[in-house]
Amino acid sequence: LWMRDTLRKADIRKAFDILTTMINRRFLSASLQFWHYLLQLEKKRSNAIHNLNIRSHNRERKRQLTHALDLWKEWNTVRTEEAKRAETARAQLELRKSLEGARKRKSEKKTKRHAKWMEEQVRLEQERAELWGKEIKNEIATVQMLVDLMAAEFVRQNIGVMVARVADLSVASVKRNEEAMEKLIAEGRLTYRILHCELEYSCSRVKIAGLSKELNERSGTIQHWDAMKEKYCVGLDTKRGKNVEVRFIKPGHLEILSQATEKRKGGSSSGHGNGGSPSRTYAVAIKSLFLNLDLDEFIVSLEIVQIMKKVESLDTYLKALMDQRDDDERARKWWENEEKRRDEEARRRRAERKARENAAWEEEKKRYDEQKRRYQEWRREQRKQNKKNVHSSNGPYAGTTGGPQGGRPKCTCPECFITREFFGSFFGSGFSYGGDGDEDSDYDEWDDEWSRRQNSKRQAQKEDEDKNQSTILGVAPSASAQEIKSVYRKKALMFHPDKYKPELGMTKDESTEHFKKLTNAYDHLMSNYDE
């Protein structure tokens, strides 16, 4: 409409201009032209209106078509999204069905595996229970035997004391006392564990199996069997060390650790005996067991336990064993007394030998003091006669001769003669008495020199004698007292007159003489270790 009004205004303006021109020029031609122009103008206007109507119709149609297309696109988008959602839902449903089937199959497999594992665990638990059942029976029987053995040993050790007290002491009275039985059973359990810790079905090192994650696969050491709880008391290993955390575990959940497993884990087998040898032993001792009496230390060996299991009558065997222990103890005491007697005799011989040496030294000291006294008297006599340091050949010792000394004859004056005669044997030819003998300090120097030389001489003689006697005995000069005793006992049994054997290659007299030399060498070398 705006375009149509604009064209109309332009046409009117142009028509006005033509009309003006026509008036000015020729009106008719101008009117014709004007009419012709109006016709053309109307035609143009009609065409323009027609075209405008067409365009307006086309725009409306286009708008409708565009709106319809937008609606179709929106519907198509919604339908596509719905189709996608439906497809996704179908895929998810199929996936859920697939996952559910897989989960079900997995659950079935897991259930089967768990059922199979449970059957295996039940079987293993039954096997372990049967295995530990043998161990429990063995432990109970062995502990009871050890209790009887310790009670019998306690009675044997203290029967003499109780006779003096006029009190009843027997195995039955000990076993009737609850406190004594608790101590005996505890010591019997410990002894059993130590003696059997590396035997089949009896290893103290175990591993827990078939329990919670907290305890499963943990290692520990069996302490004892608790009959009330029907469980083993186990000391579990922790970071602080072995046998720290105490738990009570059923036998069916315990596995024996092999030595290879222990080595792989860097552990070592527990126990207080002599290692894994069959001859394991353990020293048993209990303080204040019964009637304020102690069970003194005695040795229990695995061999004795095995014998007790085989004998028909345990009481008879224990009685025979106690009698044998009494005989062994009497023999041991006899040997100890005999050894003490021999040591006392040897110590007495060494004391006599040392006394003789000291007496000889004192005799030498007395002789030296006598010579010094005579010399002092002579010096005092010389001072009285006021003949100090006079070298004269007319004296009480004139005419004394001596051999050449440094190309010259020995001086025969009284002083030189007395010094040489009295002290030459003590100090040697090179000694100079110094001073004039008037001061006590001179004599002190002589005494110190004489003591030093005598000590050096005695030390040298002792070292030579040690070498000679150690060679005779067959030991090193620096051998210890235990080595000297051991070698002397062996050789004394070989060369003792009462043990003479012709196979030694010497007569009985020669053997006796050699035994005396060995005894003398033993006494000499042992004197170095006497107080």
Side-chain angles (χ1 to χ4, degrees), residues 120-140 201 206-207 209-210 222 225 230-232 249-256:
E120 183 69 16
Q121 292 299 316
V122 170
R123 184 182 65 80
L124 292 176
E125 186 173 348
Q126 291 176 353
E127 291 180 357
R128 289 193 292 264
E130 293 176 0
L131 182 70
W132 286 106
K134 300 177 183 178
E135 166 66 14
I136 293 167
K137 293 179 181 178
N138 184 32
E139 179 177 352
I140 294 173
Y201 304 138
V206 293
K207 181 181 70 174
I222 291 180
W225 167 255
E230 295 185 352
K231 295 180 180 180
Y232 271 113
I249 310 296
K250 289 185 177 181
H253 298 296
L254 296 178
E255 290 183 356
I256 299 174

Side-chain angles (χ1 to χ4, degrees), residues 129-350:
E130 293 176 0
L131 182 70
W132 286 106
K134 300 177 183 178
E135 166 66 14
I136 293 167
K137 293 179 181 178
N138 184 32
E139 179 177 352
I140 294 173
T142 307
V143 169
Q144 185 60 41
M145 292 179 183
L146 290 172
V147 168
D148 294 339
L149 174 62
M150 289 185 287
E153 178 64 20
F154 173 75
V155 173
R156 185 192 71 80
Q157 292 180 4
N158 297 280
I159 189 66
V161 178
M162 298 314 296
V163 168
R165 293 185 184 181
V166 193
D168 179 28
L169 180 64
S170 63
V171 175
S173 64
V174 174
K175 295 174 72 173
R176 282 195 299 269
N177 186 274
E178 295 183 359
E179 183 179 357
M181 280 301 295
E182 289 179 1
K183 294 181 180 180
L184 288 174
I185 291 174
E187 192 67 21
R189 289 170 176 171
L190 176 61
T191 305
Y192 174 81
R193 286 291 149 207
I194 291 172
L195 294 180
H196 294 74
C197 70
E198 290 187 359
L199 299 180
E200 187 178 5
Y201 304 138
S202 302
C203 185
S204 295
R205 296 292 297 167
V206 293
K207 181 181 70 174
I208 299 177
L211 285 180
S212 61
K213 292 183 179 180
E214 178 187 359
L215 298 176
N216 203 27
E217 298 296 328
R218 290 186 63 179
S219 302
T221 304
I222 291 180
Q223 303 296 323
H224 60 84
W225 167 255
D226 194 320
M228 297 294 294
K229 297 181 179 180
E230 295 185 352
K231 295 180 180 180
Y232 271 113
C233 178
V234 182
L236 298 180
D237 301 341
T238 63
K239 293 181 179 180
R240 292 179 292 172
K242 289 187 176 182
N243 196 13
V244 176
E245 182 181 351
V246 177
R247 292 292 184 96
F248 289 90
I249 310 296
K250 289 185 177 181
H253 298 296
L254 296 178
E255 290 183 356
I256 299 174
L257 280 179
S258 63
Q259 293 182 357
T261 305
E262 286 291 283
K263 290 180 181 178
R264 184 169 60 253
K265 292 185 177 180
S268 59
S269 61
S270 62
H272 306 276
N274 303 328
S277 62
S279 60
R280 295 176 63 86
T281 60
Y282 178 66
V284 178
I286 304 176
K287 295 292 184 181
S288 300
L289 177 60
F290 182 62
L291 298 178
N292 293 327
L293 296 176
D294 300 336
L295 173 60
D296 297 333
E297 183 176 298
F298 77 102
I299 302 300
V300 178
S301 65
L302 184 60
E303 183 180 1
I304 293 177
V305 176
Q306 292 174 348
I307 293 174
M308 287 194 298
K309 292 179 181 179
K310 296 178 182 178
V311 296
E312 295 180 357
S313 175
L314 182 61
D315 295 336
T316 304
Y317 172 74
L318 289 178
K319 186 177 183 305
L321 181 62
M322 295 303 108
D323 294 339
Q324 181 182 356
R325 285 181 181 271
D326 287 334
D327 296 339
D328 294 342
E329 187 170 349
R330 284 192 292 269
R332 180 179 58 80
K333 289 181 178 179
W334 184 86
W335 277 109
E336 289 178 355
N337 295 332
E338 185 67 16
E339 186 68 20
K340 289 180 181 179
R341 185 186 63 80
R342 291 176 182 175
D343 289 343
E344 288 296 331
E345 290 181 357
R347 196 174 291 109
R348 179 179 52 79
R349 289 196 305 269
R350 293 195 294 272

Side-chain angles (χ1 to χ4, degrees), residues 27 70 76 120 128 185 204 265 307 322 373-374 386 432 439 444 461 488 492 495 515:
F27 179 77
D70 292 338
N76 189 36
E120 183 69 16
R128 289 193 292 264
I185 291 174
S204 295
K265 292 185 177 180
I307 293 174
M322 295 303 108
R373 184 187 62 76
R374 289 176 57 193
N386 197 16
S432 174
E439 301 293 338
D444 293 341
Q461 290 176 352
Y488 172 71
F495 296 99
F515 176 75

